[in-house]
Amino acid sequence: MHLAYPAVLAVLLFSVGLYGVLARRNAILVLMSVELMLNAVNLNLVAFDVWLRDTLHAGQALTLFTIAIAAAEIGIGLAIVLTVYRNRGSSDVDRLRDTAEGPDDTPDTSDASDATATAKKAEATA
């Protein structure tokens, strides 16, 4: 078998995964797209391992390591997505941007601005 066949398939898988990461707004679909990209890398590792006829099978060993890391990433990622969904009611990636603190949320050093910032934060959490 030629090396071009699995390489082209890996490029197609990686391209679909990259499109999914850049174009999707749902966090679960973004995680699935990352998994597609990791599977494309795994396919390349195994294909080059077979093509090079490595006696240590380093490509297959790295593939197993990548699968283990991907499983941990999905487990932690789904836990985070479920927690965000419970708190926010949506898993839309664009709506999650308001959870990060921006430069406007940092209070000044004066006492009046500290009281105003504390009042604003209390109103936002209520």
Side-chain angles (χ1 to χ4, degrees):
M1 180 171 71
H2 296 287
L3 183 62
Y5 297 134
V8 168
L9 180 63
V11 166
L12 290 174
L13 278 174
F14 195 85
S15 299
V16 169
L18 186 64
Y19 172 75
V21 167
L22 295 177
R24 299 291 179 194
R25 298 296 175 234
N26 191 348
I28 294 175
L29 291 177
V30 170
L31 287 174
M32 288 173 57
S33 298
V34 169
E35 284 296 316
L36 272 176
M37 293 168 66
L38 287 173
N39 285 333
V41 171
N42 288 340
L43 182 62
N44 267 335
L45 284 171
V46 171
F48 277 99
D49 183 48
V50 169
W51 184 64
L52 292 173
R53 291 186 172 93
D54 187 16
T55 57
L56 296 176
H57 299 294
Q60 293 179 16
L62 284 174
T63 298
L64 289 175
F65 181 71
T66 305
I67 289 170
I69 295 297
E73 175 253 334
I74 282 297
I76 293 172
L78 281 177
I80 291 171
V81 168
L82 287 175
T83 303
V84 168
Y85 183 77
R86 285 182 186 164
N87 290 337
R88 298 282 177 175
S90 173
S91 63
D92 189 9
V93 176
D94 287 336
R95 292 185 185 177
L96 297 179
R97 292 184 185 165
D98 64 346
T99 59
E101 291 185 359
D104 296 325
D105 294 338
T106 57
D108 293 335
T109 57
S110 66
D111 293 332
S113 63
D114 285 340
T116 307
T118 305
K120 285 182 181 179
K121 286 184 180 180
E123 288 175 3
T125 57

